[in-house]
Amino acid sequence: MVSPPANPLGDPRRHPRSVHDTCRRDHLLATPCPLIFLLGPLIRGAVVQLSNPKAAIVYASVFAALLPSSPPVWLYIALPLSIFVVEAGWYSLVSLGLSHSRIRVLYARGKKWVDRAASAFLAALGLRLLLTASDRGI
């Protein structure tokens, strides 16, 4: 019988493919899944998203195209909260979904069309902004 490694996480040079792999491996070794393996990807994802200027540009263009020129005060509170809920929910679903191999394969097959649909949507928003800029005084 092979004894478990001294480090419950195994070889530090081997990175698990997902949090699920790490927790499964820890479960086999009868040790709890360390909290850092649950929070690490969350923190890393939040830093990447917050430092990505593309997200801010997309939201700014959506707001410029769809919001009235003088939004009510309550929208200044509701919009950031709504964005947080939508973003956190979406990226949680994506990360949970893509941690399963079947879903990763399906996404890889359709990625080109998903990207094209998202591009078409953003292009339509940009076109709407261009066409209605004079009406909005932009």
Side-chain angles (χ1 to χ4, degrees):
M1 181 172 179
V2 177
S3 62
N7 177 356
L9 301 178
D11 184 356
R13 293 170 295 185
R14 181 188 176 276
H15 296 289
R17 290 186 301 179
S18 71
V19 173
H20 302 292
D21 290 347
T22 302
C23 293
R24 276 191 212 114
R25 194 170 63 232
D26 285 351
H27 177 69
L28 293 174
L29 297 174
T31 59
C33 185
L35 184 61
I36 192 65
F37 278 100
L38 299 175
L39 292 179
L42 177 69
I43 292 168
R44 189 172 35 249
V47 168
V48 167
Q49 182 67 5
L50 291 172
S51 64
N52 182 2
K54 188 165 92 174
I57 291 169
V58 167
Y59 276 112
S61 65
V62 168
F63 293 157
L66 300 177
L67 285 179
S69 59
S70 304
V73 175
W74 64 268
L75 268 179
Y76 290 108
I77 296 169
L79 283 175
L81 291 175
S82 300
I83 291 170
F84 174 78
V85 169
V86 167
E87 291 285 322
W90 171 250
Y91 285 112
S92 295
L93 286 173
V94 168
S95 64
L96 286 173
L98 292 179
S99 68
H100 299 285
S101 60
R102 286 184 188 162
I103 295 175
R104 272 195 309 268
V105 168
L106 288 173
Y107 173 72
R109 285 185 196 154
K111 182 183 182 317
K112 180 170 72 172
W113 293 105
V114 169
D115 289 345
R116 287 180 179 174
S119 298
F121 175 73
L122 291 175
L125 282 176
L127 185 60
R128 180 174 185 249
L129 181 60
L130 284 173
L131 296 175
T132 62
S134 62
D135 298 342
R136 295 173 180 259
I138 299 175

